[in-house]
Amino acid sequence: MQHHYQKLKAKLKQKILKNVYKPGDVIPSEHDLMERYSLARSTVRQALDELWKEGLITKTRGKKSIVAENKKKALWLFSVKGFSAVVGEEGEVKTVFLKKPYKVRWDKSFFYPLTVKEIDTGAICVERLRSVGEFPVMLEYTYIPETSISISSEKDFVHNSLFETLRVKYGIDIEKAEQELVATGSTKEVAAVFNITQGTPVLHVYRKYHTNKPGLFIYSSFYCYTGKFSIGNLFE
Amino acid sequence: MQHHYQKLKAKLKQKILKNVYKPGDVIPSEHDLMERYSLARSTVRQALDELWKEGLITKTRGKKSIVAENKKKALWLFSVKGFSAVVGEEGEVKTVFLKKPYKVRWDKSFFYPLTVKEIDTGAICVERLRSVGEFPVMLEYTYIPETSISISSEKDFVHNSLFETLRVKYGIDIEKAEQELVATGSTKEVAAVFNITQGTPVLHVYRKYHTNKPGLFIYSSFYCYTGKFSIGNLFE
DNA sequence: GAGTGGTCTAGACCACCTG
DNA sequence: AGGTGGTCTAGACCACTCG
């Protein structure tokens, strides 16, 4: 959280999530934000653009931007900030760590090609289940190269958040990500977690996170049950 | 294709797709592109950022950007420019119009809320099937408000492309889009098109395109069979 | 140390919206 | 007509890469 646009983005996001700016409200114009925070317009715009991509505001030429109505029953998870922003009404998003984080050796046929250095060091796997209200919706396996990282208990997490922990304790920031999507029938294990019948279609996502540390990538494989909530995103 | 960054993006994209810049090649630095095309750096960067989001180049601090290796068996369709960019080796992407475009009245329970004006006018539906090589991968239904648009035959299409047609003939540019994803079992009709057994999981996408014409939105509902090719995208 | 991409500033013009 | 967001310019500093 070092760049100006990230700080501004975080401030506005907080105000939106804490209902200082309510759904349907206008937010200050780019010009106002420039003056209020002593920033150049392009910096303000970068912050607002990211808020738009996360589905928090809508922008229209000639009008002020407004806080999005969060009525959708969609999960907005195609942003590297992950899962937090989203989902109105139906209930809050909760994250549960299924096991203690554990060490693994990279599988020979990992879903993304690995560098030699990555293969030499092992990885730490974190298993998490996300729920909206009572409904489990996302089962995630995250793989972090063991280089200079030591997480051995869920108590090591800051604010119960993996990425927050990486940022605060290790200075690791997520900058970008690439992913691949596949629709697949749920396995017995996945079905059990989501409380659905085996074979029910689920979304399987493979993800590779790019960090601010050159050569350091974080990988993730997760399943989404879209029967209760769809997956939403915005793009250009 | 009016803005400078869009023109530059299109030029670079052409060079990449026509293999003037081959996978693994470096492309000219931002500074070079500034001078060559007499543009400001931020304009060059906007073009390159969009190419990155479409998966055509990779960027690294301190190094020149390079043309991405298109080895992935993934469809890169989360960009409003649609389908064209993608998929190496395995074969070319083809688009087939399944029927003549036909008029429909909006369904009462359309997948996105409609304005009164939209409901009053009807819509034109275009059914298309996309294939990679021999494999059909995407069955799409696109709905265009009938306002000031008259497409009645597939021969009305420019370059066999719907969006190209809207741009050239009607001055309609797609700027942004929002979408929702659901994993679902294929219906009999969908299964028949993809030549799979009924119930095989497919990805169902609902999409709303925002255009440069205020109040004009284009809607799309499509199915992706991800058994042969996954769906890929990049984000921040 | 020179080159590169990431961030940032301080202006500008335009098309669009509203009163 | 004045305000708004979308595009654009012409600079600047930084962290990083590489020879």
Side-chain angles (χ1 to χ4, degrees), chain B residues 65-82:
Chain B
S65 296
I66 63 179
V67 178
E69 312 274 354
N70 263 8
K71 292 169 188 165
K72 299 198 174 179
K73 294 186 181 177
L75 301 172
W76 226 257
L77 52 76
F78 289 176
S79 92
V80 297
K81 292 306 173 185

Side-chain angles (χ1 to χ4, degrees), chain B residues 80-81 163 166 172-177 209-212 218:
Chain B
V80 297
K81 292 306 173 185
F163 287 173
L166 291 174
I172 297 172
D173 263 313
I174 308 295
E175 295 185 334
K176 302 168 178 176
Y209 291 103
H210 299 233
T211 71
N212 60 337
I218 294 171

Side-chain angles (χ1 to χ4, degrees), chain B residues 81-183:
Chain B
K81 292 306 173 185
F83 211 68
S84 43
V86 211
V87 179
E89 302 166 20
E90 296 280 339
E92 288 309 305
V93 176
K94 286 172 215 146
T95 303
V96 174
F97 292 83
L98 294 184
K99 302 180 183 178
K100 277 193 198 308
Y102 54 89
K103 297 183 184 184
V104 292
R105 298 219 56 85
W106 299 105
D107 194 274
K108 219 171 176 180
S109 59
F110 199 64
F111 46 86
Y112 279 103
L114 296 170
T115 64
V116 176
K117 196 182 168 192
E118 283 176 322
I119 294 175
D120 282 348
T121 69
I124 292 174
C125 180
V126 181
E127 293 187 20
R128 290 175 294 175
L129 178 65
R130 264 75 178 262
S131 303
V132 176
E134 307 200 348
F135 304 106
V137 292
M138 182 179 168
L139 173 63
E140 178 165 27
Y141 302 87
T142 307
Y143 301 88
I144 310 161
E146 218 179 342
T147 333
S148 68
I149 289 183
S150 61
I151 294 174
S152 57
S153 159
E154 60 272 36
K155 307 208 171 168
D156 292 338
F157 288 101
V158 177
H159 294 150
N160 209 38
S161 161
L162 174 57
F163 287 173
E164 184 92 352
T165 306
L166 291 174
R167 192 168 60 74
V168 174
K169 286 199 174 181
Y170 302 98
I172 297 172
D173 263 313
I174 308 295
E175 295 185 334
K176 302 168 178 176
E178 52 188 296
Q179 67 182 8
E180 291 185 30
L181 314 179
V182 171

Side-chain angles (χ1 to χ4, degrees), chain A residues 118-134:
Chain A
E118 283 175 322
I119 295 175
D120 281 348
T121 68
I124 293 175
C125 179
V126 181
E127 294 188 20
R128 291 176 293 174
L129 178 65
R130 264 77 179 263
S131 303
V132 177
E134 307 199 351

Side-chain angles (χ1 to χ4, degrees), chain A residues 143-161:
Chain A
Y143 301 89
I144 309 161
E146 219 180 341
T147 331
S148 67
I149 289 184
S150 62
I151 295 174
S152 57
S153 159
E154 59 271 37
K155 307 208 170 165
D156 293 338
F157 287 101
V158 177
H159 294 150
N160 208 38
S161 161

